[in-house]
Amino acid sequence: MNKKAQFAAARKTIYWMIAGLVITLVVIGFAMVIASYRNNLAKVPPEIRAELISLRFTSNPDCFAYNISDKVILGTIDLVKFNEETLLKCYSTASAGGIKTFNFRLKLESSGEEITTDKYANVDKFTIFKEVLVKRQTGLFKDRLIIYVQEKIGT
């Protein structure tokens, strides 16, 4: 083999090595873009997740929902149950072996009564508003439940 042929063979080998590397990087990059896009399609915003979790406060008789003879009145809060002890039973946080993502501060707007989960650190991410009826000793009264949501802080 002459020197020209050896140079041409070496040049083709180097070319195909570089081309193979570039093609491999393009394929891996494309696969990563597709995987990232697919993950973003299935992602649920934290506002929706917190809204779904907070439904338990006014819908679950083990939480604050008012019930009459084993019938739960949805969207109604029994003021007798509206305390931190009931909140801890209803929504257990990471310290109680429960959910690690969200902590809540619940406030009834007109009465100003406020309760928080045990890991709440006054770092609100967003707020949820719910129109509710509050069962007091004298009857049912319209109020607004303000739910301050704190996402997990740190690790």
Side-chain angles (χ1 to χ4, degrees), residues 78-92:
D78 189 352
L79 200 56
V80 174
K81 296 180 184 178
F82 195 73
N83 55 46
E84 290 184 2
E85 181 181 315
T86 306
L87 179 60
L88 188 59
K89 289 179 193 173
C90 168
Y91 181 79
S92 57

Side-chain angles (χ1 to χ4, degrees), residues 91-108:
Y91 181 79
S92 57
T93 56
S95 64
I99 300 172
K100 298 177 183 177
T101 310
F102 296 111
N103 280 290
F104 296 101
R105 176 171 55 118
L106 299 127
K107 181 178 181 180
L108 290 171

Side-chain angles (χ1 to χ4, degrees), residues 13-71:
T13 303
I14 292 172
Y15 169 78
W16 282 112
M17 283 176 46
I18 293 173
L21 180 66
V22 169
I23 291 170
T24 303
L25 291 176
V26 167
V27 169
I28 290 173
F30 184 70
M32 290 175 67
V33 167
I34 295 295
S36 173
Y37 177 72
R38 201 172 93 195
N39 287 340
N40 284 337
L41 282 177
K43 193 180 215 180
V44 178
E47 290 84 359
I48 292 175
R49 289 186 297 145
E51 177 78 33
L52 292 172
I53 291 171
S54 70
L55 284 174
R56 73 178 65 194
F57 300 137
T58 58
S59 303
N60 188 345
D62 294 333
C63 288
F64 311 120
Y66 178 62
N67 55 335
I68 301 174
S69 62
D70 296 332
K71 291 184 183 179

